[in-house]
Amino acid sequence: MSGFESLKQIRDDAKFKDIPIIAIYSTSATEDGIKNTFGLGANAYIVKPTDFNDLKKLLKKVIEMDWKEKLKHLEFESFIITV
């Protein structure tokens, strides 16, 4: 099962619809792949190899973010979160 299929299954389950998901990509990720990830319901992404401190910062931002406000702006650039 691909990451895209996993993400779709997670989002299709009502128990998990509001849980933030961070996709972890290899350095070969494409912009279309990342856009598809957000289209399937991911809240953020990070590229591996991942520095543990950067991951902790990203987790904190994702948890604290007002997603209802963020989802009003569906442009790809509005989902970029820097750590």
Side-chain angles (χ1 to χ4, degrees):
M1 177 183 305
S2 74
F4 296 126
E5 293 167 329
S6 299
L7 182 55
K8 183 171 179 350
Q9 280 192 357
I10 291 167
R11 286 301 185 221
D12 286 346
D13 190 323
K15 295 180 293 200
F16 303 118
K17 69 180 183 79
D18 295 324
I19 295 174
I21 295 174
I22 298 173
I24 301 176
Y25 272 98
S26 67
T27 54
S28 63
T30 65
E31 186 174 327
D32 286 341
I34 293 167
K35 285 181 180 179
N36 192 27
T37 299
F38 286 118
L40 290 170
N43 299 92
Y45 81 96
I46 194 164
V47 177
K48 56 185 174 182
T50 302
D51 178 79
F52 184 69
N53 288 323
D54 287 344
L55 182 58
K56 286 191 322 187
K57 289 176 195 174
L58 180 60
L59 285 168
K60 185 175 182 341
K61 287 182 178 190
V62 166
I63 290 168
E64 293 174 349
M65 190 167 290
D66 179 355
W67 287 101
K68 288 182 183 178
E69 180 62 30
K70 182 65 100 174
L71 291 173
K72 289 180 184 177
H73 312 285
L74 295 179
E75 302 83 30
F76 177 65
E77 292 77 17
S78 72
F79 287 93
I80 296 173
I81 304 169
T82 57
V83 290

Coordinates of all heavy atoms in Angstrom, one line a residue:
M1 N 0.9 -1.2 0.0 CA 0.0 0.0 0.0 C 0.9 1.2 0.0 O 1.9 1.3 0.8 CB -0.9 0.0 1.2 CG -1.8 1.2 1.4 SD -2.8 1.2 2.9 CE -3.7 -0.3 2.8
S2 N 0.6 2.2 -0.8 CA 1.4 3.4 -0.9 C 1.0 4.4 0.2 O 0.0 4.2 0.9 CB 1.1 4.1 -2.2 OG -0.1 4.7 -2.3
G3 N 1.8 5.3 0.4 CA 1.5 6.4 1.4 C 0.2 7.1 1.1 O -0.6 7.5 2.0
F4 N 0.0 7.3 -0.2 CA -1.3 8.0 -0.6 C -2.5 7.1 -0.3 O -3.5 7.7 0.3 CB -1.3 8.2 -2.1 CG -0.2 9.2 -2.6 CD1 0.7 8.8 -3.6 CD2 -0.1 10.4 -2.1 CE1 1.6 9.7 -4.1 CE2 0.9 11.3 -2.5 CZ 1.8 10.9 -3.5
E5 N -2.4 5.8 -0.5 CA -3.5 4.9 -0.2 C -3.7 4.9 1.4 O -4.8 4.9 1.8 CB -3.2 3.5 -0.7 CG -3.2 3.4 -2.2 CD -2.7 2.1 -2.7 OE1 -1.8 1.6 -2.1 OE2 -3.1 1.7 -3.8
S6 N -2.6 4.9 2.1 CA -2.7 4.9 3.6 C -3.4 6.1 4.1 O -4.3 6.1 4.9 CB -1.3 4.8 4.2 OG -0.7 3.6 3.8
L7 N -3.0 7.3 3.5 CA -3.5 8.5 3.9 C -5.0 8.6 3.6 O -5.8 9.0 4.5 CB -2.8 9.7 3.2 CG -3.2 11.1 3.5 CD1 -3.2 11.4 5.0 CD2 -2.3 12.1 2.8
K8 N -5.4 8.1 2.5 CA -6.8 8.1 2.1 C -7.6 7.2 3.1 O -8.7 7.6 3.5 CB -7.0 7.6 0.7 CG -8.5 7.6 0.2 CD -8.6 7.4 -1.2 CE -10.1 7.4 -1.7 NZ -11.1 7.4 -0.8
Q9 N -7.1 6.0 3.4 CA -7.8 5.1 4.3 C -8.0 5.8 5.7 O -9.0 5.7 6.3 CB -7.1 3.8 4.4 CG -7.4 2.9 3.3 CD -6.9 1.5 3.6 OE1 -6.3 1.2 4.6 NE2 -7.2 0.6 2.6
I10 N -6.9 6.5 6.1 CA -7.0 7.1 7.5 C -8.0 8.2 7.4 O -8.9 8.3 8.4 CB -5.6 7.7 7.8 CG1 -4.6 6.6 8.1 CG2 -5.7 8.6 9.0 CD1 -3.1 7.0 8.2
R11 N -8.0 9.0 6.4 CA -9.0 10.1 6.3 C -10.4 9.7 6.1 O -11.4 10.3 6.5 CB -8.6 11.1 5.3 CG -7.4 12.0 5.7 CD -7.8 12.8 7.0 NE -6.7 13.7 7.3 CZ -6.3 13.9 8.5 NH1 -6.8 13.2 9.5 NH2 -5.3 14.7 8.8
D12 N -10.6 8.5 5.5 CA -11.9 8.0 5.3 C -12.6 7.4 6.6 O -13.8 7.2 6.6 CB -11.9 6.9 4.2 CG -11.8 7.4 2.8 OD1 -11.9 8.7 2.6 OD2 -11.4 6.6 1.9
D13 N -11.8 7.2 7.6 CA -12.2 6.6 8.8 C -12.6 7.8 9.8 O -11.8 8.6 10.1 CB -11.1 5.8 9.5 CG -11.6 5.0 10.7 OD1 -12.5 5.5 11.5 OD2 -11.1 3.9 10.9
A14 N -13.9 7.9 10.1 CA -14.4 9.0 11.0 C -13.6 9.2 12.3 O -13.5 10.3 12.8 CB -15.9 8.8 11.2
K15 N -13.1 8.1 12.8 CA -12.3 8.2 14.1 C -11.1 9.0 13.9 O -10.6 9.6 14.9 CB -11.9 6.8 14.6 CG -13.1 5.9 14.9 CD -12.6 4.6 15.4 CE -11.9 3.9 14.3 NZ -11.8 2.4 14.4
F16 N -10.5 9.1 12.7 CA -9.2 9.8 12.5 C -9.3 11.0 11.7 O -8.3 11.6 11.4 CB -8.3 8.8 11.8 CG -8.0 7.5 12.6 CD1 -8.4 6.3 12.0 CD2 -7.5 7.5 13.8 CE1 -8.2 5.1 12.7 CE2 -7.3 6.3 14.5 CZ -7.7 5.1 13.9
K17 N -10.5 11.5 11.4 CA -10.6 12.6 10.4 C -10.1 13.9 11.0 O -9.6 14.8 10.2 CB -12.1 12.8 10.0 CG -13.0 13.3 11.1 CD -14.4 13.5 10.6 CE -15.3 14.1 11.6 NZ -15.2 15.5 11.8
D18 N -10.0 14.1 12.3 CA -9.5 15.3 12.8 C -8.1 15.2 13.4 O -7.6 16.2 14.0 CB -10.4 15.8 13.9 CG -11.8 16.2 13.4 OD1 -11.8 16.7 12.2 OD2 -12.8 16.0 14.0
I19 N -7.4 14.1 13.3 CA -6.1 13.9 13.8 C -5.1 14.5 12.8 O -5.1 14.1 11.6 CB -5.8 12.4 14.1 CG1 -6.7 11.9 15.2 CG2 -4.3 12.2 14.4 CD1 -6.6 10.4 15.4
P20 N -4.2 15.4 13.2 CA -3.2 15.9 12.2 C -2.3 14.8 11.7 O -1.9 14.0 12.5 CB -2.4 17.0 13.1 CG -3.3 17.3 14.2 CD -4.1 16.0 14.5
I21 N -2.0 14.9 10.5 CA -1.1 14.0 9.8 C 0.1 14.7 9.2 O -0.1 15.7 8.4 CB -1.8 13.1 8.7 CG1 -2.8 12.3 9.4 CG2 -0.8 12.3 8.0 CD1 -3.7 11.5 8.4
I22 N 1.3 14.3 9.5 CA 2.5 14.8 8.9 C 3.1 13.7 8.0 O 3.4 12.6 8.4 CB 3.6 15.2 9.9 CG1 3.0 16.3 10.8 CG2 4.9 15.7 9.3 CD1 3.9 16.7 12.0
A23 N 3.2 14.1 6.7 CA 3.8 13.1 5.7 C 5.3 13.3 5.8 O 5.8 14.4 5.9 CB 3.3 13.4 4.3
I24 N 6.0 12.2 5.7 CA 7.5 12.2 5.7 C 8.0 11.8 4.3 O 7.6 10.7 3.9 CB 8.1 11.4 6.8 CG1 7.6 11.8 8.2 CG2 9.6 11.4 6.7 CD1 8.0 11.0 9.3
Y25 N 8.6 12.7 3.6 CA 9.1 12.4 2.2 C 10.5 12.2 2.1 O 11.3 12.8 2.9 CB 8.7 13.6 1.4 CG 7.3 13.6 0.8 CD1 6.3 14.3 1.4 CD2 7.0 12.9 -0.4 CE1 5.0 14.2 0.9 CE2 5.8 12.8 -0.9 CZ 4.8 13.5 -0.3 OH 3.5 13.5 -0.8
S26 N 10.9 11.5 1.0 CA 12.4 11.5 0.7 C 12.7 12.7 -0.1 O 11.8 13.5 -0.5 CB 12.6 10.2 -0.2 OG 12.0 10.4 -1.4
T27 N 14.0 13.0 -0.3 CA 14.4 14.2 -1.0 C 14.0 14.2 -2.4 O 14.0 15.2 -3.1 CB 15.9 14.3 -0.9 OG1 16.5 13.1 -1.4 CG2 16.4 14.6 0.5
S28 N 13.5 13.0 -3.0 CA 13.1 13.0 -4.3 C 11.6 13.3 -4.5 O 11.1 13.1 -5.6 CB 13.4 11.6 -4.9 OG 12.6 10.6 -4.2
A29 N 11.0 13.8 -3.5 CA 9.5 14.1 -3.6 C 9.3 15.2 -4.6 O 10.1 16.1 -4.8 CB 9.0 14.6 -2.2
T30 N 8.2 15.1 -5.3 CA 7.8 16.1 -6.4 C 6.8 17.0 -5.8 O 6.1 16.7 -4.8 CB 7.3 15.4 -7.6 OG1 6.0 14.8 -7.3 CG2 8.2 14.4 -8.2
E31 N 6.7 18.2 -6.4 CA 5.7 19.1 -6.0 C 4.3 18.6 -6.2 O 3.4 18.7 -5.3 CB 5.8 20.5 -6.7 CG 4.9 21.5 -6.2 CD 5.1 22.9 -6.9 OE1 6.2 23.2 -7.2 OE2 4.1 23.6 -7.0
D32 N 4.1 17.8 -7.3 CA 2.7 17.2 -7.5 C 2.4 16.2 -6.4 O 1.3 16.1 -6.0 CB 2.7 16.6 -8.9 CG 2.6 17.6 -10.0 OD1 2.2 18.7 -9.7 OD2 2.9 17.2 -11.1
G33 N 3.4 15.4 -6.0 CA 3.2 14.4 -4.9 C 2.9 15.1 -3.6 O 2.0 14.6 -2.9
I34 N 3.5 16.2 -3.3 CA 3.2 16.9 -2.1 C 1.8 17.5 -2.2 O 1.1 17.4 -1.2 CB 4.3 18.0 -1.8 CG1 5.7 17.3 -1.5 CG2 3.9 18.9 -0.7 CD1 6.9 18.2 -1.6
K35 N 1.5 18.1 -3.3 CA 0.1 18.7 -3.4 C -0.9 17.5 -3.3 O -2.0 17.8 -2.7 CB 0.0 19.3 -4.8 CG 0.7 20.7 -4.9 CD 0.5 21.3 -6.3 CE 1.2 22.6 -6.4 NZ 1.0 23.2 -7.7
N36 N -0.7 16.4 -3.9 CA -1.6 15.3 -3.7 C -1.7 14.8 -2.3 O -2.8 14.5 -1.8 CB -1.1 14.1 -4.6 CG -2.1 13.0 -4.7 OD1 -3.3 13.2 -4.7 ND2 -1.7 11.8 -4.9
T37 N -0.7 14.9 -1.5 CA -0.7 14.5 -0.1 C -1.6 15.5 0.6 O -2.5 15.1 1.4 CB 0.7 14.6 0.5 OG1 1.5 13.7 -0.2 CG2 0.7 14.3 2.0
F38 N -1.5 16.8 0.4 CA -2.4 17.8 1.0 C -3.8 17.5 0.5 O -4.8 17.7 1.3 CB -2.0 19.2 0.7 CG -0.7 19.6 1.6 CD1 0.4 19.9 0.9 CD2 -0.8 19.6 2.9 CE1 1.6 20.2 1.7 CE2 0.3 19.9 3.7 CZ 1.5 20.2 3.0
G39 N -4.0 17.2 -0.7 CA -5.4 17.0 -1.3 C -6.0 15.8 -0.6 O -7.3 15.7 -0.5
L40 N -5.2 14.8 -0.1 CA -5.8 13.6 0.5 C -5.9 13.9 2.0 O -6.4 13.0 2.7 CB -4.9 12.4 0.3 CG -4.9 11.9 -1.2 CD1 -3.8 10.9 -1.4 CD2 -6.3 11.3 -1.5
G41 N -5.5 15.0 2.5 CA -5.8 15.3 3.9 C -4.6 15.5 4.9 O -4.8 15.6 6.1
A42 N -3.4 15.4 4.3 CA -2.2 15.6 5.2 C -2.2 17.1 5.7 O -2.7 18.0 5.0 CB -0.9 15.3 4.5
N43 N -1.7 17.3 6.9 CA -1.6 18.7 7.4 C -0.3 19.3 7.2 O -0.2 20.6 7.3 CB -2.0 18.6 8.9 CG -3.4 18.1 9.2 OD1 -3.5 16.9 9.4 ND2 -4.3 19.0 9.1
A44 N 0.7 18.5 7.0 CA 2.1 19.1 6.9 C 3.0 18.0 6.3 O 2.6 16.8 6.2 CB 2.6 19.6 8.2
Y45 N 4.2 18.4 5.9 CA 5.1 17.4 5.5 C 6.5 17.8 5.9 O 6.8 19.0 6.2 CB 5.1 17.1 4.0 CG 5.8 18.2 3.1 CD1 7.1 17.9 2.7 CD2 5.2 19.4 2.8 CE1 7.8 18.9 1.9 CE2 5.9 20.3 2.1 CZ 7.1 20.1 1.6 OH 7.8 21.0 0.9
I46 N 7.4 16.8 5.9 CA 8.8 17.1 6.2 C 9.6 16.1 5.4 O 9.1 15.1 5.0 CB 9.1 16.9 7.7 CG1 10.4 17.5 8.1 CG2 9.0 15.5 8.2 CD1 10.6 17.7 9.6
V47 N 10.8 16.6 5.0 CA 11.7 15.7 4.1 C 12.7 15.1 5.0 O 13.3 15.6 5.9 CB 12.3 16.6 3.1 CG1 13.3 15.9 2.2 CG2 11.3 17.3 2.2
K48 N 13.0 13.8 4.7 CA 14.0 13.0 5.4 C 15.3 13.1 4.6 O 15.3 13.3 3.4 CB 13.6 11.6 5.7 CG 13.2 10.8 4.5 CD 12.6 9.4 4.9 CE 12.1 8.7 3.7 NZ 11.6 7.4 3.9
P49 N 16.4 13.0 5.2 CA 16.6 12.7 6.7 C 16.1 13.9 7.5 O 16.3 15.0 7.1 CB 18.1 12.5 6.9 CG 18.7 13.2 5.7 CD 17.7 13.2 4.6
T50 N 15.4 13.6 8.6 CA 14.8 14.6 9.4 C 15.6 14.8 10.7 O 15.9 13.8 11.4 CB 13.4 14.1 9.7 OG1 12.7 13.9 8.5 CG2 12.6 15.1 10.6
D51 N 15.9 16.0 11.0 CA 16.5 16.4 12.2 C 15.4 16.3 13.3 O 14.3 16.9 13.2 CB 17.0 17.8 12.2 CG 17.6 18.3 13.5 OD1 18.8 17.9 13.7 OD2 17.0 19.0 14.2
F52 N 15.7 15.6 14.4 CA 14.7 15.4 15.5 C 14.1 16.7 16.0 O 12.9 16.9 16.3 CB 15.3 14.6 16.6 CG 14.3 14.2 17.7 CD1 13.2 13.3 17.4 CD2 14.4 14.8 18.9 CE1 12.3 13.0 18.4 CE2 13.4 14.5 19.9 CZ 12.4 13.6 19.6
N53 N 15.0 17.7 16.2 CA 14.5 19.0 16.7 C 13.6 19.7 15.7 O 12.6 20.3 16.1 CB 15.7 19.9 17.1 CG 16.4 19.4 18.3 OD1 15.8 18.9 19.2 ND2 17.7 19.5 18.3
D54 N 13.9 19.6 14.4 CA 12.9 20.2 13.4 C 11.6 19.4 13.5 O 10.5 20.1 13.3 CB 13.5 20.1 12.0 CG 14.7 21.0 11.8 OD1 14.8 22.0 12.6 OD2 15.4 20.9 10.8
L55 N 11.6 18.1 13.6 CA 10.4 17.4 13.7 C 9.6 17.8 14.9 O 8.4 18.0 14.9 CB 10.7 15.9 13.7 CG 9.4 15.0 13.8 CD1 8.5 15.2 12.6 CD2 9.9 13.5 13.8
K56 N 10.2 18.0 16.1 CA 9.5 18.4 17.3 C 8.9 19.8 17.1 O 7.8 20.1 17.5 CB 10.5 18.5 18.5 CG 10.9 17.2 19.0 CD 11.6 17.2 20.4 CE 12.6 18.3 20.6 NZ 13.4 18.2 21.8
K57 N 9.6 20.7 16.4 CA 9.1 22.1 16.1 C 7.9 22.0 15.2 O 6.9 22.7 15.4 CB 10.2 22.9 15.5 CG 11.3 23.4 16.4 CD 12.3 24.2 15.6 CE 13.6 24.3 16.3 NZ 14.6 25.0 15.5
L58 N 8.0 21.1 14.2 CA 6.9 21.0 13.3 C 5.6 20.4 14.0 O 4.5 20.8 13.8 CB 7.3 20.1 12.1 CG 6.2 19.8 11.0 CD1 5.7 21.1 10.4 CD2 6.7 18.9 9.9
L59 N 5.8 19.4 14.8 CA 4.7 18.8 15.5 C 4.0 19.8 16.4 O 2.8 19.9 16.4 CB 5.2 17.6 16.4 CG 5.6 16.3 15.7 CD1 6.3 15.4 16.7 CD2 4.3 15.7 15.2
K60 N 4.8 20.6 17.1 CA 4.3 21.7 17.9 C 3.4 22.7 17.1 O 2.3 23.0 17.5 CB 5.4 22.4 18.6 CG 4.9 23.5 19.6 CD 6.2 24.0 20.4 CE 5.9 25.0 21.4 NZ 4.8 25.8 21.5
K61 N 3.9 23.1 15.9 CA 3.2 24.0 15.1 C 1.9 23.4 14.5 O 0.8 24.0 14.5 CB 4.1 24.5 13.9 CG 5.1 25.5 14.4 CD 5.9 25.9 13.2 CE 7.0 27.0 13.6 NZ 7.6 27.6 12.5
V62 N 2.0 22.1 14.1 CA 0.8 21.5 13.6 C -0.3 21.3 14.7 O -1.5 21.6 14.4 CB 1.2 20.1 13.0 CG1 -0.1 19.2 12.7 CG2 2.0 20.3 11.7
I63 N 0.1 21.0 15.9 CA -0.9 20.8 17.0 C -1.5 22.1 17.3 O -2.7 22.2 17.6 CB -0.2 20.1 18.2 CG1 0.2 18.7 17.8 CG2 -1.0 20.2 19.4 CD1 1.1 18.0 18.8
E64 N -0.7 23.2 17.4 CA -1.2 24.5 17.8 C -2.0 25.3 16.7 O -2.6 26.2 17.0 CB -0.1 25.3 18.3 CG 0.5 24.8 19.6 CD 1.8 25.5 20.0 OE1 2.3 26.3 19.3 OE2 2.2 25.2 21.2
M65 N -1.9 24.8 15.5 CA -2.4 25.6 14.4 C -4.0 25.6 14.4 O -4.6 24.6 14.7 CB -1.9 25.1 13.0 CG -2.3 25.9 11.9 SD -1.3 25.4 10.4 CE 0.3 26.0 10.9
D66 N -4.6 26.7 13.9 CA -6.0 26.8 13.8 C -6.3 26.3 12.4 O -6.3 27.0 11.4 CB -6.5 28.3 13.9 CG -8.0 28.4 13.8 OD1 -8.6 27.4 13.4 OD2 -8.4 29.5 14.0
W67 N -6.7 25.0 12.3 CA -6.9 24.4 11.0 C -8.1 24.8 10.3 O -8.2 24.9 9.0 CB -6.8 22.9 11.1 CG -5.4 22.4 11.3 CD1 -4.9 22.1 12.5 CD2 -4.4 22.4 10.3 NE1 -3.5 21.8 12.3 CE2 -3.2 22.0 11.0 CE3 -4.3 22.7 9.0 CZ2 -2.0 21.9 10.4 CZ3 -3.1 22.6 8.3 CH2 -1.9 22.2 9.0
K68 N -9.1 25.2 11.0 CA -10.4 25.8 10.4 C -10.0 27.0 9.6 O -10.5 27.2 8.5 CB -11.5 26.0 11.4 CG -12.0 24.7 12.0 CD -13.1 24.9 12.9 CE -13.6 23.6 13.5 NZ -14.6 23.7 14.4
E69 N -9.2 27.9 10.2 CA -8.8 29.1 9.5 C -7.9 28.8 8.3 O -8.0 29.3 7.2 CB -8.1 30.1 10.5 CG -7.7 31.4 9.9 CD -8.8 32.2 9.4 OE1 -9.9 32.1 9.9 OE2 -8.6 33.0 8.4
K70 N -7.0 27.9 8.5 CA -6.0 27.5 7.5 C -6.7 26.9 6.3 O -6.4 27.2 5.2 CB -5.0 26.5 8.1 CG -3.9 26.1 7.1 CD -3.0 27.2 6.7 CE -1.7 27.1 7.5 NZ -0.8 28.2 7.0
L71 N -7.8 26.2 6.5 CA -8.4 25.5 5.4 C -9.3 26.4 4.6 O -9.8 26.1 3.5 CB -9.3 24.3 5.9 CG -8.4 23.1 6.4 CD1 -9.3 22.1 7.1 CD2 -7.6 22.5 5.3
K72 N -9.5 27.7 5.0 CA -10.2 28.7 4.2 C -9.3 29.1 3.0 O -9.9 29.6 2.0 CB -10.5 29.9 5.1 CG -11.6 29.7 6.1 CD -11.8 30.9 6.9 CE -12.8 30.7 8.0 NZ -13.0 31.9 8.8
H73 N -8.0 28.9 3.1 CA -7.1 29.3 2.1 C -6.5 28.0 1.5 O -5.5 27.5 2.0 CB -6.0 30.2 2.6 CG -6.5 31.3 3.5 ND1 -7.2 32.4 2.9 CD2 -6.6 31.4 4.8 CE1 -7.6 33.2 3.9 NE2 -7.2 32.6 5.0
L74 N -7.0 27.6 0.4 CA -6.6 26.3 -0.1 C -5.5 26.3 -1.1 O -5.1 25.3 -1.8 CB -7.8 25.5 -0.8 CG -8.9 25.2 0.2 CD1 -10.1 24.5 -0.5 CD2 -8.4 24.3 1.3
E75 N -4.8 27.5 -1.3 CA -3.6 27.5 -2.1 C -2.5 26.7 -1.5 O -2.3 26.7 -0.3 CB -3.1 29.0 -2.3 CG -4.1 30.0 -2.9 CD -5.1 30.5 -1.8 OE1 -4.7 30.6 -0.6 OE2 -6.2 30.8 -2.1
F76 N -1.7 26.1 -2.4 CA -0.6 25.2 -1.9 C 0.3 26.0 -0.9 O 0.7 25.4 0.1 CB 0.1 24.7 -3.1 CG 1.3 23.9 -2.8 CD1 1.2 22.6 -2.1 CD2 2.6 24.3 -3.1 CE1 2.3 21.9 -1.8 CE2 3.7 23.5 -2.8 CZ 3.5 22.3 -2.2
E77 N 0.6 27.2 -1.3 CA 1.6 28.0 -0.5 C 1.1 28.2 0.9 O 1.8 28.4 1.9 CB 1.9 29.3 -1.1 CG 2.7 29.2 -2.5 CD 1.8 28.7 -3.6 OE1 0.6 28.8 -3.6 OE2 2.4 28.3 -4.6
S78 N -0.3 28.2 1.1 CA -0.8 28.5 2.5 C -0.5 27.3 3.4 O -0.7 27.4 4.6 CB -2.3 28.8 2.4 OG -3.0 27.6 2.1
F79 N -0.1 26.2 2.9 CA 0.2 25.0 3.7 C 1.6 24.8 4.1 O 2.0 23.9 4.8 CB -0.4 23.7 3.1 CG -1.8 23.6 3.1 CD1 -2.6 24.1 2.1 CD2 -2.5 23.1 4.2 CE1 -4.0 24.0 2.1 CE2 -3.9 23.0 4.3 CZ -4.6 23.5 3.2
I80 N 2.5 25.7 3.6 CA 3.9 25.5 3.8 C 4.2 26.0 5.3 O 3.8 27.2 5.6 CB 4.8 26.3 2.8 CG1 4.5 25.7 1.4 CG2 6.2 26.3 3.2 CD1 5.2 26.5 0.3
I81 N 4.7 25.2 6.1 CA 5.1 25.5 7.5 C 6.6 25.4 7.6 O 7.1 24.3 7.3 CB 4.4 24.5 8.4 CG1 2.9 24.5 8.2 CG2 4.7 24.8 9.9 CD1 2.2 23.3 8.9
T82 N 7.2 26.4 8.0 CA 8.6 26.4 8.2 C 9.0 26.2 9.7 O 8.2 26.6 10.6 CB 9.3 27.7 7.7 OG1 8.7 28.8 8.4 CG2 9.1 27.9 6.3
V83 N 10.1 25.5 9.9 CA 10.5 25.2 11.3 C 11.8 26.0 11.6 O 12.5 26.4 10.8 CB 10.7 23.7 11.6 CG1 9.4 23.1 11.6 CG2 11.6 23.1 10.6

